[in-house]
Amino acid sequence: MNVIETIIFRLAAYSMIAGSTYYSASFIQTLFHRLFGHTRRIGKIYEVHVGGHHAQYSGERMQSDRWIATERHITLYYAIPFIPMVLTAWSFLPLDFFVVHIGSLMLTIWWHIYLHRQYHLRESWFSRFNWFRQKQRLHFLHHWHPRTNYAIVEYKWDRLLGTFADSVRFGIDLERQEAKGVKSSSD
Ligand SMILES: [Zn+2]
Ligand SMILES: [Zn+2]
């Protein structure tokens, strides 16, 4: 292989590592949310997620002027499910690939947290994008029907797990909520 081919090969491999890390991490997040966020397996996570976040944003109060932080003190719990993936990557991947894996994991976690906050902000810059509004609606459906749409960003995992719900199936609820207008938590 000449130098150009080597660089192209490396870049392609880095993209594959970054992409598979993104989808693996979003799958782990979806499963963790379903298995621990909405069951009492670990009481503290359940109380903080359902009693905190879901209680703050419920019914018609899906948005607020400022993000209401309720889960900061259990952030470490959310890091735990990623440990096996990181250890596996560490034992198999060369160092540069591992660095790409960690970088992608950090970006993925940040993107999930960031986008979730944007969903609940009354005035988000992202509201101009159709893709954003669609994901936001699916997340609001999760708040109204907590047994659906556990993924925050990649709802294809919910389709795979059989927990996906869209506005067609829950059309009446969405129309009712939207007719009333999604009100602020600070009202
Ligand atoms: Zn939830
Ligand atoms: Zn939410």
Side-chain angles (χ1 to χ4, degrees):
M1 265 199 286
N2 64 34
V3 179
I4 302 288
E5 282 172 341
T6 306
I7 291 171
I8 291 172
F9 175 79
R10 285 259 142 187
L11 289 178
Y14 288 163
S15 317
M16 279 177 63
I17 293 282
S20 53
T21 300
Y22 172 78
Y23 283 107
S24 304
S26 69
F27 180 65
I28 290 169
Q29 177 275 321
T30 305
L31 263 190
F32 187 81
H33 184 185
R34 179 180 176 179
L35 295 176
F36 297 103
H38 289 275
T39 69
R40 295 179 189 273
R41 287 188 178 98
I42 301 176
K44 192 168 181 180
I45 295 180
Y46 176 84
E47 282 159 28
V48 169
H49 185 63
V50 174
H53 179 61
H54 276 261
Q56 284 292 348
Y57 296 103
S58 64
E60 295 158 40
R61 296 168 186 269
M62 274 301 121
Q63 291 170 304
S64 52
D65 289 334
R66 281 192 193 171
W67 167 250
I68 302 166
T70 53
E71 300 182 288
R72 205 177 289 146
H73 60 294
I74 60 157
T75 306
L76 267 183
Y77 280 101
Y78 289 103
I80 292 170
F82 298 111
I83 292 172
M85 179 175 74
V86 171
L87 290 178
T88 308
W90 173 251
S91 55
F92 285 105
L93 295 176
L95 185 62
D96 55 340
F97 284 65
F98 181 72
V99 170
V100 172
H101 169 69
I102 291 295
S104 175
L105 178 59
M106 294 294 130
L107 267 177
T108 302
I109 293 171
W110 170 80
W111 181 235
H112 278 66
I113 294 171
Y114 180 76
L115 216 55
H116 182 219
R117 290 181 179 196
Q118 297 300 313
Y119 294 159
H120 289 293
L121 290 181
R122 192 190 281 152
E123 286 182 22
S124 169
W125 183 84
F126 284 91
S127 297
R128 68 195 69 199
F129 300 117
N130 194 36
W131 63 264
F132 173 83
R133 293 197 302 274
Q134 284 182 353
K135 287 181 191 294
Q136 183 185 44
R137 284 162 69 96
L138 293 174
H139 182 65
F140 288 176
L141 272 169
H142 168 70
H143 278 259
W144 294 322
H145 304 276
R147 296 279 168 253
T148 65
N149 299 348
Y150 294 99
I152 303 292
V153 180
E154 291 302 333
Y155 292 95
K156 51 176 71 67
W157 293 126
D158 279 294
R159 289 181 190 273
L160 193 81
L161 295 167
T163 50
F164 181 77
D166 57 21
S167 54
V168 175
R169 194 172 145 201
F170 290 103
I172 296 165
D173 289 319
L174 266 183
E175 278 164 22
R176 184 171 59 84
Q177 300 291 352
E178 286 171 359
K180 286 181 180 177
V182 176
K183 291 179 183 169
S184 160
S185 283
S186 58
D187 287 348

